[in-house]
Amino acid sequence: LVILAIDIGGTKIAAAHVVNGACIDRRQLPMPDTEAEFLQTIARLATGRPLPSGIAVAVTGYVNGDRVQSFNHKTISFWDGFPLIPRLAQLLGAPVVAINDAQAAAWGEYCLRKASCQDLLFMTLSTGVGGGLVLGGTLREGSHGLAGHIGHVAIDVPPIDAPSMCGCGRLGCLEAIASGTALARQASHRFGRSMTSSELLDSARGGDALALDIVQRASHAVASAIASAHAQLDLQVLVLGGSVGLAPNMLNWIESALHRYPAVYHVRVERATLGADAGMLGAAAWFQDQRG
Ligand code: BMX
Ligand code: ZN
């Protein structure tokens, strides 16, 4: 079975063939801001490849039936009921299965751990904060595709700038303090110049007290969300991924924050094993489980 896996994120689209659980001929392009350019980008990523028997898509936003919708409207403005599945099936001429990017990664990470774990929450700290939930060995998509969206739970830790309205329309979301976008926003506010989240993380690791304060507040916010999820779901493992989540020291900062809570809230936190390809590999595994 030749599967073309596509990971559509807030800032980039990646595509690869997945053969025996490995990505082959991986290509990546920036995520455009219009529907027409989006379809052209997909076509460019798919040309010159062997004809796939199926397309497995991991996508930022939630997949409700055949359509994709932004949760955070600032991330992708044209994801407002966009008929992603029929459009891609028509463009690429093969059956399409699509799920949320963090749900896909959750499934991929679960498949590697299923001998020892049935209840897992995957959390990605990237452009946004995403989540995917496997309970009792089943990926929970929910009836509208929303299940696992931990980036949009309200947190009792304010960001260092004024309380920020999340792009979903709610005040106090985790995503508005701990996503790469939110870290960059707070760093730029505090240092008075434009700064990326990776510059901020470098400064924090270098011992800059102001940078460390932003990163530690974000880590407390993440720990608070993990504690709440654990109280509701009784998790066996929390898998941390995304470019911010996998940045050096991030897991330690989050674990130290979590250990300030009473022991009942402690849950094992592990780094994502599939790294940057988690979405594509998870979506391909999901395609195979659905279509066999
Ligand atoms: C947002 C939301 C989630 C997504 C998460 C991480 C949109 C478009 N996306 O919370 O569906 O899983 O970001 O996504 O509303 P990424 O873009 O950071 O990979
Ligand atoms: Zn939100």
Side-chain angles (χ1 to χ4, degrees), residues 16 18 34 114-115 122 126 135 143 209 226 259 286:
V18 176
T34 65
K114 61 177 152 201
F122 171 83
S126 48
L135 287 179
S143 45
I226 294 173
H259 283 110
W286 183 245

Side-chain angles (χ1 to χ4, degrees), residues 227-250:
S228 299
H230 189 44
Q232 293 172 77
L233 304 167
D234 190 1
L235 301 166
Q236 287 170 298
V237 57
L238 184 293
V239 180
L240 186 68
S243 52
V244 172
L246 292 172
N249 229 42
M250 200 63 205

Side-chain angles (χ1 to χ4, degrees), residues 133-279:
L133 193 56
V134 175
L135 287 179
T138 303
L139 177 70
R140 312 309 312 205
E141 295 173 88
S143 45
H144 308 90
L146 281 183
H149 270 83
I150 195 165
H152 305 280
V153 299
I155 291 299
D156 49 357
V157 183
I160 59 117
D161 44 0
S164 185
M165 180 66 85
C166 180
C168 74
R170 183 180 192 187
L171 203 60
C173 283
L174 175 63
E175 184 159 295
I177 176 169
S179 62
T181 314
L183 291 176
R185 187 199 73 232
Q186 294 170 86
S188 307
H189 173 84
R190 178 157 278 177
F191 291 96
R193 66 179 176 89
S194 163
M195 244 174 119
T196 63
S197 58
S198 76
E199 283 176 88
L200 173 75
L201 290 162
D202 282 346
S203 303
R205 273 192 301 277
D208 182 305
L210 294 181
L212 196 60
D213 176 48
I214 298 176
V215 173
Q216 282 183 329
R217 272 166 178 268
S219 303
H220 281 293
V222 170
S224 171
I226 294 173
S228 299
H230 189 44
Q232 293 172 77
L233 304 167
D234 190 1
L235 301 166
Q236 287 170 298
V237 57
L238 184 293
V239 180
L240 186 68
S243 52
V244 172
L246 292 172
N249 229 42
M250 200 63 205
L251 188 137
N252 297 338
W253 282 317
I254 291 169
E255 271 189 329
S256 331
L258 191 58
H259 283 110
R260 287 167 58 157
Y261 287 86
V264 70
Y265 290 106
H266 300 176
V267 52
R268 195 166 80 243
V269 181
E270 292 179 3
R271 285 171 70 84
T273 313
L274 299 173
D277 291 337

Side-chain angles (χ1 to χ4, degrees), residues 7-12 59-62 69-73 75-76 79 100-103 124-131 149 151-152 175:
D7 186 353
I8 307 168
T11 52
K12 51 129 195 70
V59 58
T60 189
Y62 58 97
Q69 190 94 34
S70 278
F71 202 124
N72 180 338
H73 305 285
T75 315
I76 299 176
W79 259 195
N100 166 267
D101 52 0
Q103 291 171 352
T124 171
L125 308 180
S126 48
T127 310
V129 173
H149 270 83
H152 305 280
E175 184 159 295

